[in-house]
Amino acid sequence: MAQLIGALGIWNTSATRHTPLEDAQGIFSGSLVSALGLYVLASAGLLTGSTAGIAFLLHYTFGVNFGLAFFLLNLPFFYLSLKRLGIAFTIKTFVAIGLTSVLADVQSRFFEISSIHPAWAALLGGLLLGFGLLALYRHRASLGGVGILGIYMQERFGIRAGLVQLSVDMCVLAAAFFVTTPPVVIYSVVGAVVLNLFLTINHRADRYIAL
């Protein structure tokens, strides 16, 4: 029983170190919640930023499979992750991206959102993505792309990851004006702002540092 309690991290005497089982549940939970957030956005035809936003653009414009596009777009960022953030972070991020890509594609097999107002989708989708990313960040993982860059900038220069993400997201969403309607872009911007403000407020290295 004592070994099980230790593996689960219950009453863990080391406040800054996660057990492997804690990391596993955190990465799975973060990936699942993130995939749900992406599904909510997609149900209203909205986008988000970073590599997920580019994957949405490819999906809406050319019919490319979202999960596959999301996974492939993140591959170039693994070099930065491996070089700057270490092999453990890189492996956990690779797993998180793979899980999120698969889960995002299979969501519709388990339930379907038949109707949702785009404003509510932006709010709910942004918050779900924020919660998912926060869970991943706190277990030393991310959803790749700008998330990797954001964490590196925060740890190296003290620039908050949410602000880095927000800057890039605005560029991605600006490009969306060329492939979709202005209302869709506006609601998508709302979702991106909700996501990144949530991360900016809640993900601070001086409040939570875990290994």
Side-chain angles (χ1 to χ4, degrees), residues 22-161:
E22 283 180 313
D23 280 338
Q25 66 80 29
I27 291 172
F28 176 78
S29 300
S31 300
L32 180 60
V33 174
S34 296
L36 179 58
L38 292 170
Y39 181 57
V40 169
L41 293 174
S43 297
L46 304 183
L47 306 93
T48 188
S50 192
T51 49
I54 300 173
F56 269 131
L57 289 175
L58 293 173
H59 175 67
Y60 293 148
T61 306
F62 303 107
V64 177
N65 179 275
F66 172 82
L68 179 60
F70 178 64
F71 182 80
L72 293 177
L73 286 168
N74 277 295
L75 291 180
F77 290 92
F78 282 110
Y79 174 75
L80 174 62
S81 176
L82 186 61
K83 185 176 180 180
R84 298 294 185 181
L85 299 174
I87 188 170
F89 178 91
T90 303
I91 292 174
K92 287 189 283 188
T93 295
F94 183 85
V95 172
I97 291 172
L99 276 173
T100 303
S101 299
V102 172
L103 291 170
D105 280 341
V106 302
Q107 293 273 3
S108 60
R109 300 183 184 181
F110 297 97
F111 74 102
E112 182 178 357
I113 300 176
S114 59
S115 178
I116 185 171
H117 193 281
W120 188 248
L123 175 61
L124 184 58
L127 285 175
L128 285 169
L129 274 172
F131 274 105
L133 284 169
L134 185 63
L136 294 174
Y137 287 173
R138 289 187 170 181
H139 287 271
R140 293 284 297 166
S142 79
L143 285 183
V146 182
I148 292 176
L149 180 62
I151 291 179
Y152 169 72
M153 295 292 285
Q154 176 163 301
E155 296 187 351
R156 180 66 176 82
F157 301 107
I159 302 173
R160 293 188 185 178

